[in-house]
Amino acid sequence: MNSDAVKMNEKLFFDYVNKRDTIAMEKWIDQYVAENFTNHSPLFDVPQNREGLKEMFYKLFQLFPDMTIKIEEMVFENNVLSFRHMIQENKNSDALMGMAMVKLRDGKIVDRWATTSSI
């Protein structure tokens, strides 16, 4: 897998999230997240599968309608993409820092781990 392509593709997903383009976001998940995907860090007690990932973002949109997620750094090695990101509820809110890792197999995400904390 090409490291730059993997990173650009993940950034594309967060562009969809930040624009609230839910149709593009769902298509992206259906195309790039494996059917046997496991989300090891789900929020809101959603299922740990691909549909639960969609549901998790919809719940985030409901709770934080002006939320943005900005990727700060990314590393791709041994089929694992790791990235640090900043999450803001709105332009005036304090940012939260998140760290995420996704494991890829055959070009699809099969596992996800994430954590968020105040800075």
Side-chain angles (χ1 to χ4, degrees), residues 5-64:
V6 169
K7 292 175 188 177
M8 287 180 63
N9 193 38
E10 190 72 17
K11 287 178 182 178
L12 178 63
F13 174 75
F14 285 102
D15 285 344
Y16 296 147
V17 168
N18 290 333
K19 292 176 184 173
R20 301 300 185 271
D21 187 343
T22 56
I23 293 171
M25 185 187 80
E26 281 196 22
K27 285 181 182 179
W28 189 97
I29 290 171
D30 289 341
Q31 183 173 355
Y32 295 108
V33 176
E35 288 184 27
N36 64 341
F37 165 79
T38 301
N39 184 355
H40 300 276
S41 309
L43 298 173
F44 312 115
D45 203 29
V46 299
Q48 291 181 275
N49 60 22
R50 186 165 69 177
E51 292 306 310
L53 183 65
K54 294 174 189 177
E55 185 180 340
M56 185 180 81
F57 277 97
Y58 284 126
K59 287 185 178 201
L60 280 169
F61 297 159
Q62 288 175 344
L63 284 173
F64 308 108

Side-chain angles (χ1 to χ4, degrees), residues 32-107:
Y32 295 108
V33 176
E35 288 184 27
N36 64 341
F37 165 79
T38 301
N39 184 355
H40 300 276
S41 309
L43 298 173
F44 312 115
D45 203 29
V46 299
Q48 291 181 275
N49 60 22
R50 186 165 69 177
E51 292 306 310
L53 183 65
K54 294 174 189 177
E55 185 180 340
M56 185 180 81
F57 277 97
Y58 284 126
K59 287 185 178 201
L60 280 169
F61 297 159
Q62 288 175 344
L63 284 173
F64 308 108
D66 296 325
M67 173 192 74
T68 58
I69 301 172
K70 181 182 177 194
I71 296 186
E72 297 289 333
E73 296 152 336
M74 301 180 102
V75 176
F76 181 67
E77 187 175 305
N78 297 323
N79 293 323
V80 175
L81 177 66
S82 300
F83 55 95
R84 182 175 68 87
H85 54 283
M86 302 303 286
I87 305 165
Q88 259 188 300
E89 183 179 343
N90 59 53
K91 293 178 184 178
N92 300 317
S93 66
D94 290 334
L96 299 174
M97 181 180 67
M99 300 288 289
M101 294 176 64
V102 293
K103 185 174 185 176
L104 288 91
R105 185 177 306 122
D106 300 324

